[in-house]
Amino acid sequence: MITRRHALIGIAAATAAPLFVHRSWAGTKTLVRGSFTGTNGHETRGTAGILEVDGAHMVSLGEDFFFDGAPDPKVALGNDGYDPNTLMGPLQSNTGAQNYPVPDSIDVAQYNEVWIWCERFNVSLGVAKMNLA
């Protein structure tokens, strides 16, 4: 059954808009945002945010997002370090706006970072430290 929450997340993911810039969207609130820094010799830059969309949470990478590429990049959260239990799936694109629904089992209030992580080689590719929006 598709709920209103799931429909909004689907719409946001399909539009791939950096929602934290568009505060006027009904039911959308930016909780935190930050900027990426590359790690382990990778170039990762651009903005990221954690949004609340009608009670659900989403990680949003901004239009300015850029990643130089690597095998098996995934999006995850961390709290002063990567947490493998928060993997949200493969990076959709090496550039541009994209959105990742956060599973209900993850309490976003416990995390202060968005990670780009290479699961195959178990190394970080980039991290964005989050600050209050």
Side-chain angles (χ1 to χ4, degrees):
M1 180 166 129
I2 295 178
T3 65
R4 181 172 181 229
R5 186 181 106 215
H6 289 105
L8 287 173
I9 289 172
I11 290 167
T15 62
L19 295 178
F20 58 91
V21 172
H22 302 288
R23 292 177 180 265
S24 62
W25 284 30
T28 300
K29 177 182 175 185
T30 301
L31 303 177
V32 292
R33 63 180 161 203
S35 296
F36 277 101
T37 302
T39 57
N40 291 308
H42 285 277
E43 184 178 357
T44 309
R45 64 178 187 266
T47 54
I50 298 177
L51 313 175
E52 184 176 324
V53 182
D54 206 27
H57 295 100
M58 179 182 317
V59 169
S60 181
L61 307 184
E63 290 179 11
D64 60 350
F65 176 75
F66 174 84
F67 169 60
D68 64 359
D72 204 24
K74 304 274 173 78
V75 177
L77 297 174
N79 186 359
D80 297 326
Y82 163 73
D83 181 349
N85 296 314
T86 66
L87 281 174
M88 288 172 269
L91 190 64
Q92 297 165 6
S93 174
N94 288 349
T95 61
Q98 46 204 293
N99 298 302
Y100 301 86
V102 178
D104 290 339
S105 60
I106 296 174
D107 179 3
V108 296
Q110 302 301 310
Y111 298 95
N112 64 357
E113 300 162 329
V114 172
W115 286 82
I116 306 300
W117 187 263
C118 176
E119 192 171 21
R120 181 183 303 169
F121 295 108
N122 202 35
V123 296
S124 65
L125 304 168
V127 62
K129 293 278 188 180
M130 297 287 108
N131 299 301
L132 292 177

